[in-house]
Amino acid sequence: MRAIRSIAVLLGLSLLISCSGGADRAAENTLHRGLQVGPETLDPHRSRSTEAGEILRDLGEGLVGYSPAAELVPAAAERWDVSEDGLIWTFHLRDGLRWSNGDALPAGHFVAGMRRLVDPATAAFYADKLIDVENAAAIVAGELSPEELGVEAPDDRTLVVRLERPIPYLLKLLTHASTFPVHPPSLAEHGDSFARPGRFVSNGAYRLVDWVPAALISLERNEYYWDNDTTAIDAVNYHVLVMSNAELSRYRAGDLHITASVPPDAFQMVREEYGDQLHVAPRLGVYFYGFNLARPPFADSLALREALSMAVDREQLVASVTGRGEQPAWSWVPPGVDNYTPPRLGFAALSKDERERLARLRYKEAGYGPDKPLQIELRYNTGDQHKKIAVAVQSMWRDVLGVEATLVNEEFGVLLSNIRAAEITQVFRSGWTGDYNDAHTFLDVMMGGNASNLTGYASEEYDQLMRRAAAQVDPDRRRLYMEEAERVMLSDHPLIPLYVYVNKHLIRPEVVGWEDNVLDYHYSRHLSLE
Amino acid sequence: MLRYTLFRILGAIPTLLLVIALAFMMVRAAPGGPFDAEYIPSTEVEKNLRDAYGLDDPLPQQFLTYLSGLLRGDLGPSIRQTGYSVAELIGEALPYSFLLGATAMLLALLLGVGAGTVAALRQGSLLDRTITGLSLTGISIPVFVVAPVLVLLFAVKLQWLPAGWGSARGAATWVLPVVTLALPQLAYVARLMRASMIDVLSSDFVRTARAQGLGTATIVRVHALKPAMLPVISYLGPAVAGILTGSVVVEEVFGIPGLGEMFVRAALNRDYTLVLGVVVFYASLIVALNLVVDILYGVIDPRVRYR
């Protein structure tokens, strides 16, 4: 019976929509944004996808936020102080902060939110975000109760965060959705299913109005938001469009202001057709091939790893294979990270011919040659782009060194579990995107024992430099240690950085206030429609 | 009849149990897990995540927990779509799939029966051969080939119809998915109907009707259609199964947020509970529909009596 009713409603709706094509455009102050994947949840503490993060930046707010150019700016906190040793941070909240239902938002709600994040019962994917806050590690491990977290609210407008070691990027972590507060009464009433239309009380510039899974998320202005007066756009619709070709047709039809991506095959056509509406900008992300360092032939052969890295012509790769404005990657940390100059791979400055000559030399040194070619498997997760890149690298290795590489494509989960088992993988495809604009988000991954360290790289020297960097309060000294650490890691060649990712969006001319940035964060409240 | 129905329902329980057990084992045998991403949380966090869904308990225990939940009508929470239960997610996606499947089924039946009847009446003619040829093509080409070809033709080249759910609104969105899904069933129904109609038309009671001076139209409508439909009715069960499996592909290709699309996404995300939930739902549906078909058969054919 319910199904029949739903179908009747659906039929009615589709009729209504088909008859009123102009209705959407009549609501002139609504921003329509494309989204590649529907969010898995809008619970800030349990969400994990980039897409959920994007919507949550509109719905919620942390202590700190980002400007349109992705510079740190005060958000719920209007200012903050830090103790000399960098361990105690005091945040001063804005006066009169409110939730979208009008309830007051005291500092205690931030405390409750952070406790919920590290509480094992929440099973938060990003519980590690606050792992350097006092007692957080022990709470996550179930040894202490969440109330022991080093975060407290002496009064309604003050929040004190105590750290176990200085973390200079703390402010950047506090922009992440996992550190947002959640409305305690809603949580108490609805439990884990509070983040739904009709229930979700939020503290950002917008509130949740509707959510059709796998199709549409609608937001409306939150009248109680502290900066509501400067928020220009009244409503935001996120359209889930898994196929980027479908997204492009919606953009063509005038139904979208901003696309989440541009289909690879249509890229040149789009560039010619739309000119300035196409925005391509570097992102904090690296596409790379990793070596399995636990097994031969790569475990003990630095020369071999270096030879394979040198033999890849990155310029040609970005020019003729990826071809969407990507930059060749010569380092692990991509360019554009705050207060950091990535060191480059030793052979980056050489010409292509010199590189190839040196690569052959190193290959021979490793004990391989025309009569004993290296035979390896290159694994990548199934996908057109990944395949094209793998084919290109395979032929570069063959032409320069005579390597016989076999391409193996696997579904993402299969590939990942193979990489983690480190039994059968040799060379594998992966990528890493920074969660915040600090070199630490990249360098930390390469520390021995880090769960995301897929190559299994472990260098005492590297770890020590990273630990030294972590102990620095002075940003410049910290930077020097980190740069040195990356130099050490790059010369060990645990992986082959191939190219730096780019953000690709189509943006209608009537959208004002958009600024390309490396994080690809674009709050709807910073935009307006002409 | 009542006893028969009851007996059949009881008989379906072992089938369902077997399906659930197999699905449970298969989804767990797949490498990877629901928390896979390039960012891998620390071991403690991963343990908390696994604990929250009891994924570290021994598998037989997990299976029993799942079954006992099922007995209470609880399909469990989705592992990926946190905060939503599997039942809620199925409820959200079902209307789309139902609309798609039911329309396709209706289309297949109406056109299939019509085409089959026409072909039978004009046996050996050009029209008959065209219908037979086309239906053979329809059966032979799988849905995942038909879908992109239709999109290429009608959406990209001719631009008459939208390419998928995302690219436009309204009833037009449904045309290509419904047609794609209906085609193989339509073709099969047409062939069945043609063969069966030819058979019925040469039987004694039709000859008697002819002798009484009735026209072809009346004979078909009043006397021949019902008995000729019997093979089609018994094909309804397999047809529904075909529509369901076909909808997985069709929804994926056209981006319709229905059960099939959800099932594929759940499998890729290793959302164990959601995958199992959809399997349980599909299996129960097929079992139930087969039962309905068998009962319908008895209603239409007076020679069949259930004890």
Side-chain angles (χ1 to χ4, degrees):
Chain A
M1 195 56 214
R2 212 187 136 204
I4 296 171
R5 209 165 36 201
S6 315
I7 288 155
V9 168
L10 208 76
L11 271 175
L13 266 179
S14 50
L15 258 176
L16 206 78
I17 298 167
S18 58
C19 298
S20 60
D24 270 6
R25 257 153 279 167
E28 265 178 15
N29 211 356
T30 300
L31 181 71
H32 296 275
R33 306 178 67 154
L35 206 63
Q36 273 182 316
V37 186
E40 62 290 338
T41 174
L42 291 174
D43 178 341
H45 302 145
R46 303 186 76 189
S47 69
R48 44 185 279 198
S49 63
T50 323
E51 287 75 16
E54 189 169 339
I55 300 167
L56 281 166
R57 274 189 290 278
D58 280 350
L59 282 175
E61 185 173 59
L63 294 165
V64 190
Y66 283 112
S67 71
E71 288 146 345
L72 282 176
V73 288
E78 56 183 358
R79 60 191 174 85
W80 46 82
D81 329 299
V82 55
S83 66
E84 223 160 78
D85 57 7
L87 292 178
I88 298 170
W89 292 71
T90 309
F91 293 88
H92 305 279
L93 268 52
R94 288 176 197 279
D95 190 16
L97 285 181
R98 296 201 170 276
W99 289 98
S100 57
N101 67 349
D103 286 359
L105 199 175
H109 288 183
F110 276 92
V111 175
M114 292 183 194
R115 283 178 181 167
R116 179 169 182 259
L117 175 70
V118 293
D119 188 344
T122 309
F125 190 71
Y126 283 117
D128 290 329
K129 279 271 180 274
L130 292 181
I131 209 72
D132 292 313
V133 173
E134 200 176 273
N135 292 337
I139 297 167
V140 170
E143 291 154 14
L144 286 177
S145 85
E147 284 68 40
E148 310 280 331
L149 186 69
V151 179
E152 58 195 63
D155 61 66
D156 281 353
R157 288 187 56 197
T158 313
L159 186 82
V160 178
V161 179
R162 290 190 308 275
L163 303 178
E164 290 188 347
R165 59 186 190 84
I167 36 175
Y169 49 90
L170 176 72
L171 294 177
K172 289 162 184 166
L173 294 183
L174 295 177
T175 64
H176 195 269
S178 59
T179 67
F180 289 2
V182 298
H183 185 238
S186 309
L187 187 62
E189 188 182 343
H190 304 293
D192 280 340
S193 62
F194 71 90
R196 297 190 185 184
R199 295 181 182 176
F200 194 16
V201 175
S202 60
N203 71 323
Y206 295 90
R207 57 189 181 82
L208 182 64
V209 178
D210 196 11
W211 181 5
V212 186
L216 179 75
I217 295 103
S218 301
L219 318 181
E220 257 173 36
R221 173 192 290 275
N222 168 11
E223 303 282 347
Y224 293 100
Y225 182 61
W226 62 269
D227 203 15
N228 184 40
D229 291 347
T230 62
T231 305
I233 286 169
D234 291 326
V236 186
N237 281 352
Y238 283 95
H239 302 265
V240 181
L241 296 156
V242 179
M243 291 170 296
S244 52
N245 279 312
E247 190 186 38
L248 181 60
S249 357
R250 288 288 291 266
Y251 186 80
R252 278 226 167 88
D255 295 340
L256 284 180
H257 291 111
I258 300 165
T259 68
S261 188
V262 176
D265 298 334
F267 193 76
Q268 288 311 325
M269 188 189 68
V270 165
R271 197 200 298 264
E272 282 156 28
E273 192 178 338
Y274 288 107
D276 288 353
Q277 296 182 33
L278 175 65
H279 287 237
V280 177
R283 192 172 92 193
L284 281 192
V286 173
Y287 187 106
F288 69 92
Y289 281 170
F291 294 112
N292 177 2
L293 298 178
R295 301 252 154 194
F298 297 111
D300 303 308
S301 188
L302 171 62
L304 185 61
R305 301 197 300 263
E306 189 176 5
L308 290 186
S309 182
M310 265 193 278
V312 177
D313 186 347
R314 294 162 174 79
E315 274 106 356
Q316 199 198 330
L317 198 69
V318 298
S320 52
V321 183
T322 63
R324 290 192 283 177
E326 291 86 353
Q327 293 297 310
W330 299 106
S331 56
W332 171 237
V333 182
V337 169
D338 274 355
N339 190 32
Y340 189 84
T341 312
R344 285 153 62 97
L345 284 161
F347 50 79
L350 303 180
S351 74
K352 180 171 180 272
D353 288 345
E354 280 176 311
R355 269 205 303 269
E356 292 180 355
R357 194 181 55 80
L358 216 56
R360 278 189 285 269
L361 221 61
R362 300 288 277 152
Y363 186 62
K364 206 175 153 199
E365 231 174 89
Y368 297 94
D371 39 332
K372 191 199 165 200
L374 172 72
Q375 291 171 322
I376 44 162
E377 286 183 337
L378 166 55
R379 288 189 140 67
Y380 60 94
N381 49 314
T382 312
D384 284 347
Q385 280 295 96
H386 301 323
K387 184 177 180 177
K388 280 183 196 158
I389 291 164
V391 168
V393 171
Q394 178 194 37
S395 79
M396 287 169 187
W397 283 344
R398 190 187 50 228
D399 295 348
V400 178
L401 304 171
V403 171
E404 294 169 8
T406 313
L407 304 187
V408 182
N409 77 85
E410 293 174 328
E411 186 266 335
F412 181 73
V414 178
L415 177 68
L416 196 66
S417 74
N418 278 335
I419 294 174
R420 293 183 75 180
E423 300 274 347
I424 58 165
T425 44
Q426 294 182 315
V427 184
F428 57 85
R429 182 216 87 88
S430 193
W432 187 259
T433 300
D435 289 324
Y436 43 92
N437 188 350
D438 190 283
H440 182 266
T441 181
F442 284 87
L443 296 174
D444 185 47
V445 177
M446 299 307 291
M447 300 263 295
N450 186 301
S452 302
N453 182 347
L454 298 178
T455 61
Y457 178 67
S459 152
E460 193 39 53
E461 192 185 358
Y462 179 83
D463 291 358
Q464 201 155 19
L465 283 164
M466 285 300 292
R467 277 194 293 270
R468 279 214 194 114
Q472 305 304 317
V473 182
D474 175 47
D476 287 328
R477 294 189 59 181
R478 173 175 177 268
R479 174 172 69 98
L480 291 176
Y481 277 116
M482 290 201 297
E483 288 173 2
E484 184 54 29
E486 182 174 5
R487 205 167 288 125
V488 167
M489 190 269 282
L490 287 177
S491 61
D492 284 336
H493 299 282
L495 45 81
I496 309 178
L498 290 174
Y499 66 84
V500 179
Y501 285 117
V502 282
N503 308 313
K504 304 158 282 276
H505 300 283
L506 276 167
I507 297 155
R508 294 224 151 267
E510 59 261 37
V511 176
V512 177
W514 176 282
E515 290 186 39
D516 292 319
N517 64 63
V518 285
L519 286 171
D520 205 18
Y521 288 176
H522 308 279
Y523 295 66
S524 298
R525 73 183 181 94
H526 291 147
L527 305 175
S528 58
L529 294 173
E530 251 177 7
Chain B
M1 184 74 133
L2 189 72
R3 254 188 70 195
Y4 172 80
T5 311
L6 219 66
F7 187 73
R8 282 288 304 265
I9 289 175
L10 283 177
I13 291 175
T15 316
L16 282 178
L17 263 180
L18 193 70
V19 169
I20 296 166
L22 279 176
F24 188 87
M25 282 190 291
M26 273 153 67
V27 72
R28 285 320 188 73
F35 311 114
D36 282 348
E38 271 150 359
Y39 170 84
I40 301 166
S42 67
T43 22
E44 289 80 18
V45 169
E46 203 171 355
K47 184 183 163 293
N48 290 341
L49 284 163
R50 297 185 65 84
D51 280 353
Y53 300 97
L55 295 179
D56 285 334
D57 297 341
L59 272 185
Q61 187 190 329
Q62 288 186 49
F63 184 61
L64 288 179
T65 315
Y66 186 75
L67 280 186
S68 73
L70 212 54
L71 280 180
R72 282 176 278 118
D74 180 10
L75 292 171
S78 160
I79 299 182
R80 272 299 274 254
Q81 320 264 103
T82 33
Y84 278 86
S85 74
V86 169
E88 282 173 313
L89 290 173
I90 291 179
E92 295 268 9
L94 186 60
Y96 297 98
S97 293
F98 189 85
L99 187 59
L100 175 66
T103 325
M105 193 75 180
L106 209 67
L107 189 72
L109 278 180
L110 287 179
L111 292 186
V113 166
T117 309
V118 169
L121 289 175
R122 300 264 183 284
Q123 202 187 338
S125 70
L126 185 68
L127 187 65
D128 177 31
R129 271 175 287 158
T130 313
I131 290 174
T132 324
L134 278 181
S135 61
L136 188 67
T137 320
I139 295 168
S140 318
I141 306 179
V143 169
F144 60 83
V145 176
V146 174
V149 169
L150 288 184
V151 168
L152 209 64
L153 192 63
F154 292 101
V156 180
K157 279 263 179 287
L158 299 172
Q159 307 222 332
W160 290 350
L161 292 163
W165 184 258
S167 41
R169 299 126 299 172
T173 319
W174 292 94
V175 176
L176 282 183
V178 166
V179 170
T180 311
L181 189 56
L183 270 182
Q185 308 309 328
L186 194 165
Y188 204 88
V189 168
R191 286 183 76 84
L192 270 181
M193 192 63 199
R194 176 183 176 274
S196 144
M197 185 57 97
I198 288 172
D199 204 33
V200 170
L201 286 179
S202 62
S203 60
D204 292 348
F205 71 90
V206 171
R207 198 161 0 113
T208 312
R210 279 233 171 86
Q212 286 175 337
L214 293 177
T216 312
T218 320
I219 292 175
V220 169
R221 192 163 38 83
V222 181
H223 297 287
L225 200 58
K226 216 165 134 185
M229 285 277 287
L230 283 177
V232 175
I233 302 278
S234 60
Y235 175 66
L236 280 183
V240 167
I243 292 267
L244 286 182
T245 45
S247 73
V248 174
V249 178
V250 170
E251 287 176 12
E252 185 65 19
V253 171
F254 292 98
I256 297 168
L259 271 182
E261 200 267 347
M262 191 171 81
F263 183 65
V264 173
R265 207 155 20 93
L268 290 178
N269 287 338
R270 308 289 190 274
D271 193 336
Y272 299 141
T273 44
L274 188 52
V275 169
L276 278 177
V278 178
V279 168
V280 169
F281 178 78
Y282 273 166
S284 319
L285 192 68
I286 289 179
V287 166
L289 285 173
N290 272 323
L291 180 64
V292 169
V293 167
D294 284 352
I295 293 169
L296 255 183
Y297 209 76
V299 173
I300 293 192
D301 188 349
R303 288 168 300 178
V304 179
R305 285 285 171 264
Y306 297 113
R307 269 181 290 273

